[in-house]
Amino acid sequence: MPLIERRMIRERLFGAGHGDVSRSISARSASGAVVSTAPRGMRAMAVPPSPRTGSLPKVVAGLLLFAALGALGWAFLSGNDSEEQTVTTSTLVPTSVAATTTAAPTTVASTERTGVNETFPLVLPREALAVDTVNIGAPAPGSSAALLRAPDGTTVWVAEVDGDPANTDGLTVQQVGAIGVGTASDIGEGDPASYQLQVPCGFVILNDAPGQALYRPAIQQLFQSMSIDALATIDISLPPGWSVVDIGTSLNSFTAQFQVPRFADTVPVILSQIPGGSLAQLTFGGRQLQATTFLGGDAFVDSQPLDPDLTSIYWRDADTVFNVRSEALDFAALEDFVASLEAVEASAWETRFDQIAPAAPALESSCTPQPAFGQTLDP
């Protein structure tokens, strides 16, 4: 499928797409933010913002064929972002430095990766860096997603999206426990194992880990633990060995692609962040997350990126979730980059890039009831 179609499917659900505030940096904004006026192949420098001032003042257009979504679920955010130039948001400002002491050699400063909090929920570089593109991705109305850990350690991604009744053409539907589950009728060997749960409105999709057979025992066990009531509430009493990695509703995502100095050149690094968000949204379609330690704190690394050169790291600080990824920088270099960031107010994005976070779009469908996760999945 062409890149533009993959991007459209991805972005209409959980990323930057219809209704988003998204653009390449191409001019000087009315607010005075520096943006690119350089010839093709050159980038303008983004300088640190002026002092913080002010405050921060899209349903899927049509339901997508399940076969296409299932086949592409693992590729949409594979991390091979070199194929596309518009990505989701971030901004620039000075970084915080962990306090140090010379009083005693045994005294170690506490780890603080970003310093974000309710007042300063985003981070930006402290130094002037060139910026390729910036974007605020509007949330899909009424959507939420969850990342589940299977007994074998693989990660399973499940999401519900509000909308009109789903198109079941091309699906083979069977009853598993108390729910109806559809799979693409033409699924072939090696295709991703993806499932569509049957609900009255919208759709619910579950993507298994790459390389897994359809209806493997652990997935059958998971389906048998599910129920969908008359209000389309999806409850899952997780079987033994299963756990919730993260769950959350779709919220505004902020991403920027920075050009980070590397020796005598610069290399692209993409930073995505969602205040109040979830790792399930950041890992749209699913990721195989392996626990790691990043700048002294808990984090995850994508252990099976489609691009073997990609290093992609996910973590949460306070109420904000982050993903930093690059094909040119390794793990340690990405740690150095993140250590150079500083927490800023949300209004700094508006000031720096002349972008305003879009209001949550209203659901246009009149179909009821719409799907929603029940309380049984709360971590």
Side-chain angles (χ1 to χ4, degrees):
M1 178 176 287
L3 173 62
I4 188 64
E5 290 189 39
R6 299 195 349 239
R7 182 187 302 168
M8 176 183 68
I9 293 171
R10 178 186 69 192
E11 295 177 351
R12 281 179 175 173
L13 291 179
F14 288 97
H18 176 73
D20 294 347
V21 179
S22 175
R23 56 176 170 80
S24 294
I25 303 300
S26 60
R28 177 177 292 272
S29 71
S31 68
V34 177
V35 293
S36 175
T37 57
R40 180 179 178 85
M42 300 180 63
R43 301 176 179 88
M45 298 300 294
V47 298
S50 56
R52 306 175 184 115
T53 58
S55 59
L56 198 62
K58 215 203 77 74
V59 83
V60 178
L63 288 166
L64 307 171
L65 288 178
F66 171 74
L69 182 57
L72 293 171
W74 294 108
F76 290 150
L77 285 184
S78 66
N80 188 4
D81 292 281
S82 61
E83 295 184 22
E84 56 180 292
Q85 290 300 308
T86 300
V87 292
T88 53
T89 70
S90 175
T91 183
L92 316 174
V93 289
T95 63
S96 57
V97 179
T100 58
T101 178
T102 57
T106 56
T107 302
V108 179
S110 60
T111 299
E112 183 178 282
R113 286 181 286 195
T114 64
V116 294
N117 53 41
E118 185 176 352
T119 304
F120 304 103
L122 297 172
V123 295
L124 297 171
R126 64 175 179 176
E127 299 178 350
L129 295 181
V131 181
D132 295 327
T133 52
V134 294
N135 169 261
I136 301 177
S143 299
S144 56
L147 273 179
L148 308 178
R149 182 81 68 186
D152 63 357
T154 54
T155 313
V156 175
W157 182 82
V158 57
E160 58 84 13
V161 180
D162 290 1
D164 293 329
N167 187 345
T168 58
D169 293 345
L171 291 183
T172 298
V173 179
Q174 63 182 72
Q175 191 76 14
V176 183
I179 64 173
V181 180
T183 57
S185 301
D186 59 351
I187 190 169
E189 184 177 355
D191 289 342
S194 192
Y195 308 85
Q196 184 172 324
L197 281 60
Q198 303 302 287
V199 290
C201 305
F203 63 89
V204 179
I205 187 169
L206 184 149
N207 285 343
D208 199 356
Q212 300 296 327
L214 277 180
Y215 293 107
R216 63 177 172 129
I219 292 297
Q220 291 193 55
Q221 188 180 28
L222 180 64
F223 286 147
Q224 290 166 356
S225 74
M226 296 182 178
S227 64
I228 301 176
D229 65 19
L231 297 178
T233 301
I234 307 153
D235 278 313
I236 308 177
S237 299
L238 290 175
W242 284 84
S243 62
V244 177
V245 177
D246 207 358
I247 184 172
T249 58
S250 179
L251 299 173
N252 286 331
S253 61
F254 297 75
T255 303
Q257 178 167 300
F258 298 102
Q259 287 292 325
V260 177
R262 185 67 169 171
F263 305 116
D265 202 356
T266 62
V267 296
V269 174
I270 298 173
L271 174 67
S272 300
Q273 44 196 322
I274 308 176
S278 70
L279 295 174
Q281 181 179 351
L282 273 181
T283 58
F284 176 88
R287 290 291 184 280
Q288 293 309 295
L289 300 183
Q290 177 180 325
T292 189
T293 300
F294 183 69
L295 287 174
D298 294 338
F300 298 95
V301 63
D302 186 349
S303 64
Q304 296 184 36
L306 293 188
D307 186 338
D309 294 328
L310 182 77
T311 301
S312 183
I313 306 160
Y314 299 85
W315 75 97
R316 175 187 296 277
D317 281 346
D319 202 32
T320 302
V321 291
F322 299 89
N323 171 231
V324 64
R325 57 197 188 271
S326 177
E327 296 175 8
L329 297 185
D330 60 14
F331 191 97
L334 288 175
E335 283 190 307
D336 291 342
F337 170 69
V338 172
S340 72
L341 307 177
E342 183 182 46
V344 299
E345 295 173 297
S347 59
W349 189 275
E350 177 183 354
T351 301
R352 187 75 212 97
F353 299 117
D354 196 25
Q355 287 189 326
I356 298 176
L363 178 64
E364 297 175 0
S365 175
S366 60
C367 183
T368 59
Q370 297 288 349
F373 289 123
Q375 297 300 312
T376 54
L377 276 181
D378 282 350

